[in-house]
Amino acid sequence: MNGETTGTDLGEFLRSRRARLSPQDVGLTSYGARRVPGLRREELAQLAGVSLTYYTRLEQGQSANASESVIDALGRALNLSDDERAHLHNLARPRPARRPRPPRPQTARSGVRQLLKAMSGVPAVVMDRRSDVLAWNQLGHLLLAGHHDFGAPDRIADRPNLTRMLFCDPHTRELYPRWKEEAARAVASLRLVTGGYPDDRELAELVGELSMKSRGFAALWSRQSVQNCMTGTKRFQHPEVGPLDLDFELLHLPDGNGTRIITYTAAPGTPSDAALRLLASTAPAQSAPGSQSPSASPDSIRSR
């Protein structure tokens, strides 16, 4: 996932999008038997108004910096969604390669931590572009990871990662009754992020680690799906308060490095609202301003 491999990533994405379309989907007549499903290269080139030679070179990573008009034409020919078109642009017009630098661990600013603490009735989590948890408020911790130590995000060595937890942590897997839906959404979001940050070594290492550890992740990653998951509804089966249907909002902080806050809310007066209030009532008392919030032991939440 750097300037040397982006051409391969672009080719894989284009081939995957070709494979999901039939000639009939785009108004073409199919002639002869097809060894593989989907559009042929020459058919896509025809639809996009480019030569077969140029498209082939583009798919093989031999033609860098395709024009905006060509990328847009390919997006239209492939019936790409807005998120898929953004991903295609990222892959086709990568940022200039930079000399690798030792990664600098991110932290949540004090002002962001204060904001999270003030949102006492709303589960909220700050994470970086790799989904490493930089901070969470007490309710966010209780909702997503009560079996983890509250102070874990401040320890770089064992900082929780929401995507890793989803695929490798059995407690987190049990939290989502619609796990397949949640997993597909997480991988599609991660795929979109990797296209925007092709030189992020730690991001590439996370993808490699999860591909090795989880067959489910590897299968979803191979689909090449992309989605910008900014808002929606998630269903939880919480071990303490039971089922919750919560609306989430993903808010990007204006720091330019992909740091985000995710919040969860329930519609007023619903059973999920009551369950969320019950969960909030189990939170330890707020500590004094400027001090560390009390930690919960890994088993304390489950034993309540």
Side-chain angles (χ1 to χ4, degrees), residues 51-66:
S51 71
L52 174 59
T53 300
Y54 179 79
Y55 175 75
T56 301
R57 290 176 58 84
L58 188 64
E59 192 173 281
Q60 293 176 344
Q62 298 174 2
S63 181
N65 294 322

Side-chain angles (χ1 to χ4, degrees), residues 188-224:
S189 177
L190 182 63
R191 170 72 74 173
L192 186 61
V193 172
T194 61
Y197 297 92
D199 57 349
D200 188 324
R201 188 187 71 191
E202 290 187 328
L203 190 57
E205 290 173 350
L206 175 65
V207 171
E209 173 196 343
L210 294 179
S211 296
M212 293 293 293
K213 290 182 177 180
S214 170
R215 291 182 179 179
F217 179 91
L220 288 169
W221 187 256
S222 68
R223 294 181 186 177
Q224 297 279 336

Side-chain angles (χ1 to χ4, degrees), residues 76-261:
R76 289 192 297 271
L78 290 166
N79 294 334
L80 300 186
S81 67
D82 290 343
D83 292 339
E84 289 172 328
R85 292 189 187 204
H87 186 61
L88 178 62
H89 276 267
N90 284 334
L91 295 180
R93 304 291 297 273
R95 301 174 183 179
R98 297 180 299 177
R99 178 176 298 178
R101 296 179 180 179
R104 297 176 58 185
Q106 287 185 251
T107 58
R109 300 193 308 270
S110 60
V112 173
R113 292 175 182 270
Q114 292 173 20
L115 175 62
L116 259 63
K117 192 171 182 178
M119 300 166 63
S120 57
V122 176
V125 178
V126 181
M127 55 186 176
D128 64 13
R129 60 175 174 257
R130 308 175 194 97
S131 296
D132 284 347
V133 177
L134 306 183
W136 45 28
N137 63 9
Q138 290 179 350
L139 194 50
H141 168 242
L142 290 175
L143 174 67
L144 299 180
H147 58 293
H148 279 271
D149 177 50
F150 182 86
D154 294 322
R155 300 192 299 271
I156 306 301
D158 61 348
R159 175 176 281 173
N161 178 281
L162 296 185
T163 306
R164 183 184 291 112
M165 290 166 58
L166 185 63
F167 286 94
C168 302
D169 181 349
H171 294 299
T172 301
R173 185 161 185 151
E174 292 173 0
L175 188 62
Y176 295 98
R178 298 174 177 172
W179 183 86
K180 290 184 178 179
E181 175 185 309
E182 185 67 23
R185 178 162 48 189
V187 174
S189 177
L190 182 63
R191 170 72 74 173
L192 186 61
V193 172
T194 61
Y197 297 92
D199 57 349
D200 188 324
R201 188 187 71 191
E202 290 187 328
L203 190 57
E205 290 173 350
L206 175 65
V207 171
E209 173 196 343
L210 294 179
S211 296
M212 293 293 293
K213 290 182 177 180
S214 170
R215 291 182 179 179
F217 179 91
L220 288 169
W221 187 256
S222 68
R223 294 181 186 177
Q224 297 279 336
S225 299
V226 294
Q227 184 181 1
N228 192 12
C229 305
M230 300 294 293
T231 185
T233 301
K234 298 191 181 190
R235 172 161 292 183
F236 298 90
Q237 182 62 41
H238 196 275
E240 297 303 315
V241 297
L244 302 99
D245 289 311
L246 301 180
D247 297 322
F248 73 90
E249 295 288 338
L250 198 63
L251 313 173
H252 283 262
L253 297 180
D255 53 15
N257 60 11
T259 306
R260 303 160 288 170
I261 298 178

